[in-house]
C-alpha cells in the first residue's frame, strides 16, 4: 500500500515534472497529510526535493516538489547504421548529457560498436554527479531482440544475426550496470506515448524512417509485443510485390520504398554518394527536383500508413526519423494516398510528427531502466546501493 | 469473492465441458467443500447439474458436474453477402440448433435482412426448452461496427453504410432481447481462441476469406480493438498498388486478390456466373485448371500473411472461410510466399485451418452474450428473470 502510494507520487513527478503539494493532492486523491508524508519519504530517499512555492496573493504558498535529476540516472544508447547516440538521463526524464558519434568502423563490426558504447558509458559516467545511482544501461537497436536476454536475433540495417549483444555489453562494461537491449520502434513508441507527441493517448502507432524502417504500437496503453516480443515490424510489410530487394532479403517491403536509400534515389541521387542529410538540405532550400522526389516517396508512405491504421485503428500516428523531418514536404501526396484507409479508422487517427525526433529512442530506452524505481522507490534504491546486488541484477 | 468463485467454476464448465468434482478441485485450487458448495449453488440456479461419476475401480466415484445447455441460451447470427447463419447456442457453447438461409432479397436490402433475422429468432425461440432464459441476440457482420450502439459504419461486402443495425433489430424483435452487433473477424478470432484451433494460445491472428476478407487479432489474451473498436481490417491492407478495385473503393487491397471473386476469376470462371462452391468442388475432383488457379491465389494469401505476422508476431494463424477450405490446395505456393516473413516471427507462428469453419462467427457471437452470466452467475439470472429488467438491459 505504502509502496504503491510512493510509486504513484514519484510517477507523477517523473512524467509530469515539478508539482505543488496541492497539485499532488488533487492528482493522487490522497489527503494532504498522506502527500506530506510520502513526499518526506521520497526526500529522504534523495529522489525528490522541496522548495517554497511562489506567493500567489492569497494564503501560504504550497511547497513545490520536484524530482532530483541527479539522484538516479540511466545510460541510454541508440545504435543506427550511421551512428551511436548516447544520453545520460536523470530522474524526471531529463537529458543531462547527449552525444552522437559516428561509428569508428562499419556498423557491421559488432566488437567496434560494443567498444564505442563502453567508451561513451565510461565518459558519461565520469561526468555524473557523485552519489547518483546508475540504474542501468539500455540500448536501442533496429532489429528483432529476444527478451529477456537481449540477443539480437536479426538486424537487417546493421547486418547483425544472432548477436548476444547484452552479454557482450556486460563484459565490455565490467558487469557494472544492469543491461537491457530493446527494439528501436518499441522504445520510440513508448517515448512518444509517455513524453512525446502521443502523450495522453492510449492507442498509438509510431513509425521511424531511417536507413531501416522500424515501428512500434501501443494498444490500450500497453506496448504490443506479440508472442516473442517481435511485433511491430512495420518496415517489412509488402507494399510492392516484386519490387526492390530489401535489407531483409525479400522484395517489395515498405522499407525498400520509403527508407533513406529509397528517398535518396527518388530525388535522383546515388545512395552510395549522398546521404539523407543532403536531401533534407536540398528540400530546405527549395530544390524542385528534391521536393518532387520526396513527394513521390510520400505516396508510398501514405499507402503503407493506410494499411497500418486499418489494422491498428490508432488515435495518433507519430512519424519519426527521416519521415518526421520530411513530413511537411511529403504531406500532400502522403495525405492523398493515405485517404484510401477505411473511413471509420481514418477519421479517428491523427497524423503528427515526432515531438522527440532523434532523441525518441534515448528517452524510451531510459524509461526501461527507470521502471523498477518508479514501481518500488525504496526497495529498488536499497538494492542498488549495494554493489553486489547491482551486479547480480545485471546478470 | 463468492461471486468470483462461482464465476471461476462456471467458466471452467462452460469452456471445458463436464468435469468431476475432483477435476474442479484440481483446476480451481479451491478445497473440496468450497467446490461442493459452489456446485450446489450453481445447481440451485439451474445452470449445472450433477450425475454420479463412473466407478473407476477404487474408492467412491466423484460426481460429474456438467453445464445445463438448456438453462440459458443465446440466439447467434452471421450475416454474409450470400446468407444468414443462425444458431441457438446453449450454456457450454453447445449449438442446439443451426441453420443457414439464403437472403430473401439482396443483402443490400437492410429491412429484408432484419426481417429474416427476426423470423429466424422467433422460430428458434419457439423451439427452445420452456424456462430457458435467452441472454441475448448477437449478430456478426462483415464490417466496421461502432460500439456499444451497434451502428454498422460501413460494410463493403454488404454495401451498407451507417446502418443502425442494433436499433432496427431491437424494433423488429419487439425489444424482447438484449441485442449486440459485432465484426465477423473479431467474433471469429474470439471463437477460435476460446473453442477452436487457437485454444490455449495467447497471441492469435484469424483471417476469414469470403466475399469480403475479415480478420481479428488476440494480443496477450485480449481482443485487439484499437481506439474505436475498428482494428483488424486485414482485408484492406494494400498488397498490389494500382491493382483491381476493391469493395471499399480503393485499389489493390488484399481482399481484391484473395476474396472469393478473385479466386473464381483465378480459376478461369466468371464471378457473376459461378460461386465459390463450384471452385471448391472442382478442386475436390482434381480439376487441374482450378487447382492451378487456387495455387496462384495462394501466393497472394502467403504474401499478406507475411506482412501480418511481421506486425503481430502471433503464435497461431487461423485461416477460416474459403481460405480454410482451400488451404490444403494452396499450401505449397502459400508457404513459399509466406517464407518472406522475418525469421524470428516466422518460426513462432503456426499456420492452421479453422476448427470451427463456418460456425466460428456463431460461436463467437454467442460468447458475447454469455459474458455476463459467466462473470456473475447469480446476479445476472436474477436480473434476467424479471422481464422489465430484460427489456431495460436490451435498451
Amino acid at each position: 500500500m505504502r509502496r504503491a502510494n510512493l510509486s504513484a507520487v514519484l510517477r507523477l513527478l517523473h512524467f509530469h515534472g515539478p508539482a505543488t503539494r496541492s497539485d499532488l493532492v488533487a492528482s493522487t486523491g490522497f489527503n494532504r497529510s498522506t502527500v506530506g508524508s510520502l513526499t518526506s519519504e521520497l526526500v529522504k530517499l534523495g529522489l525528490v526535493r522541496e522548495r517554497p512555492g511562489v506567493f500567489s496573493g492569497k494564503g501560504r504558498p504550497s511547497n513545490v516538489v520536484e524530482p532530483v535529476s541527479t539522484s538516479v540516472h540511466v545510460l541510454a544508447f541508440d545504435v543506427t547504421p550511421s551512428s551511436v547516440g548516447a544520453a545520460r538521463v536523470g530522474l524526471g526524464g531529463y537529458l543531462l548529457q547527449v552525444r552522437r558519434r559516428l561509428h569508428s568502423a562499419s556498423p557491421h563490426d559488432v566488437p567496434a560498436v560494443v567498444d564505442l558504447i563502453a567508451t561513451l558509458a565510461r565518459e558519461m559516467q565520469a561526468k555524473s554527479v557523485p552519489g547518483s545511482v546508475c540504474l542501468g544501461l539500455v540500448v536501442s537497436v533496429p532489429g528483432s531482440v529476444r527478451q529477456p536476454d537481449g540477443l539480437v536475433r536479426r538486424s537487417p540495417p546493421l547486418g547483425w544475426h544472432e548477436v548476444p549483444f547484452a552479454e557482450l555489453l556486460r563484459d565490455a562494461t565490467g558487469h557494472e550496470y544492469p543491461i537491457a537491449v530493446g527494439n528501436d520502434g518499441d522504445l520510440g513508441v513508448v517515448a512518444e506515448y509517455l513524453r512525446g507527441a502521443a502523450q495522453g493517448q492510449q492507442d498509438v502507432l509510431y513509425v521511424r524512417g531511417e536507413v531501416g524502417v522500424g515501428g512500434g504500437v501501443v494498444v490500450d496503453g500497453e506496448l504490443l509485443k506479440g508472442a516473442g516480443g517481435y511485433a511491430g515490424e512495420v518496415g517489412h510489410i509488402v507494399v510492392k510485390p516484386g519490387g526492390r530487394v530489401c535489407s531483409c532479403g525479400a522484395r517489395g517491403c515498405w522499407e525498400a520504398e520509403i527508407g533513406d536509400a529509397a528517398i535518396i534515389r527518388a530525388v535522383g541521387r546515388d545512395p552510395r554518394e549522398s546521404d539523407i542529410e543532403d536531401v533534407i538540405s536540398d528540400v530546405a532550400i527549395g530544390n524542385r527536383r528534391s521536393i518532387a522526389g520526396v513527394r513521390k516517396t510520400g505516396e508510398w508512405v501514405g499507402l503503407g500508413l493506410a494499411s497500418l491504421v486499418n489494422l491498428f485503428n490508432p488515435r495518433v500516428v507519430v512519424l519519426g526519423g527521416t519521415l518526421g523531418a520530411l513530413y511537411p514536404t511529403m504531406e500532400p501526396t502522403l495525405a492523398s494516398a493515405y485517404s484510401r484507409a477505411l473511413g471509420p479508422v481514418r477519421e479517428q487517427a491523427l497524423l503528427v510528427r515526432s515531438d522527440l525526433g532523434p532523441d525518441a529512442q534515448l528517452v524510451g530506452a531510459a524509461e526501461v531502466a527507470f521502471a523498477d524505481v518508479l514501481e518500488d522507490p525504496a526497495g529498488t534504491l536499497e538494492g542498488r546501493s549495494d554493489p553486489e546486488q547491482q551486479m547480480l541484477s545485471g546478470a
Side-chain angles (χ1 to χ4, degrees), chain A:
Chain A
M1 188 64 174
R2 180 93 188 151
R3 174 177 148 175
N5 294 354
L6 271 181
S7 165
V9 172
L10 190 59
R11 261 178 214 284
L12 271 173
L13 297 168
H14 177 68
F15 289 118
H16 301 284
T20 62
R21 283 200 179 196
S22 316
D23 292 341
L24 291 174
V25 167
S27 310
T28 59
F30 304 149
N31 65 34
R32 206 152 186 84
S33 87
T34 304
V35 164
S37 102
L38 292 169
T39 303
S40 304
E41 187 162 346
L42 291 172
V43 169
K44 239 183 262 163
L45 288 167
L47 294 170
V48 313
R49 71 167 71 88
E50 288 196 280
R51 55 179 165 79
V54 179
F55 181 63
S56 67
K58 49 172 190 174
R60 221 183 70 189
S62 180
N63 268 359
V64 172
V65 188
E66 58 187 16
V68 177
S69 65
T70 54
S71 57
V72 292
H73 67 272
V74 179
L75 303 177
F77 296 87
D78 172 35
V79 180
T80 77
S82 60
S83 66
V84 173
R88 184 159 51 87
V89 185
L91 187 69
Y94 299 105
L95 300 180
L96 303 171
Q97 200 181 355
V98 186
R99 39 186 57 191
R100 195 166 274 277
R101 295 258 181 89
L102 297 180
H103 288 291
S104 53
S106 153
H108 303 343
D109 184 343
V110 177
V113 174
V114 170
D115 246 25
L116 178 52
I117 291 176
T119 304
L120 286 163
R122 260 192 309 277
E123 288 177 20
M124 292 197 297
Q125 194 56 5
K127 296 244 172 159
S128 76
V129 172
S132 178
V133 175
C134 179
L135 296 173
L137 187 158
V138 185
V139 188
S140 162
V141 164
S144 302
V145 183
R146 189 170 73 189
Q147 300 301 353
D149 67 354
L151 176 84
V152 178
R153 296 293 315 276
R154 204 172 170 194
S155 167
L158 299 177
W160 293 6
H161 197 70
E162 307 292 344
V163 171
F165 197 39
E167 200 182 310
L168 294 171
L169 289 166
R170 207 168 283 129
D171 289 344
T173 53
H175 293 250
E176 210 170 330
Y177 323 102
I179 306 261
V181 180
N183 170 270
D184 67 338
D186 289 350
L187 297 174
V189 76
V190 165
E192 297 288 348
Y193 166 67
L194 292 173
R195 300 185 176 280
Q199 223 182 344
Q201 299 301 339
Q202 296 301 297
D203 294 277
V204 184
L205 168 67
Y206 168 81
V207 179
R208 182 196 205 189
E210 299 271 350
V211 171
V213 173
V217 188
V218 163
V219 173
D220 202 13
E222 295 283 339
L223 178 66
L224 176 73
K225 292 180 177 162
Y230 306 125
E233 285 290 358
V234 302
H236 305 282
I237 58 171
V238 195
V239 297
K240 194 180 184 182
R244 192 173 280 277
V245 174
C246 175
S247 65
C248 75
R251 279 182 186 279
C253 290
W254 201 27
E255 176 174 308
E257 299 302 324
I258 70 162
D260 285 357
I263 298 175
I264 294 167
R265 246 181 256 114
V267 303
R269 287 175 173 266
D270 182 336
R272 288 165 303 184
E273 287 163 14
S274 301
D275 66 24
I276 195 71
E277 296 306 326
D278 299 328
V279 178
I280 292 173
S281 23
D282 284 355
V283 165
I285 60 170
N287 180 305
R288 288 194 186 185
R289 190 176 176 192
S290 301
I291 290 173
V294 166
R295 293 224 165 120
K296 187 78 201 140
T297 307
E299 291 176 21
W300 288 106
V301 176
L303 203 73
L305 289 180
S307 290
L308 295 175
V309 300
N310 281 340
L311 293 172
F312 295 111
N313 184 200
R315 183 70 72 181
V316 191
V317 179
V318 182
L319 297 174
T322 305
L323 296 178
L326 293 174
Y327 177 58
T329 309
M330 288 179 174
E331 210 274 335
T333 49
L334 188 159
S336 158
Y338 172 72
S339 69
R340 65 171 293 135
L342 298 174
V345 299
R346 198 179 58 227
E347 68 196 34
Q348 292 194 312
L350 192 68
L351 260 61
V352 299
R353 297 168 80 178
S354 162
D355 259 9
L356 303 165
D359 294 337
Q361 280 62 36
L362 298 170
V363 169
E367 294 307 332
V368 171
F370 280 126
D372 283 350
V373 79
L374 293 175
E375 185 67 27
D376 179 9
T380 304
L381 281 189
E382 270 168 35
R384 289 295 153 79
S385 60
D386 170 357
E388 275 303 310
Q389 182 69 21
Q390 204 167 315
M391 271 186 53
L392 287 173
S393 61

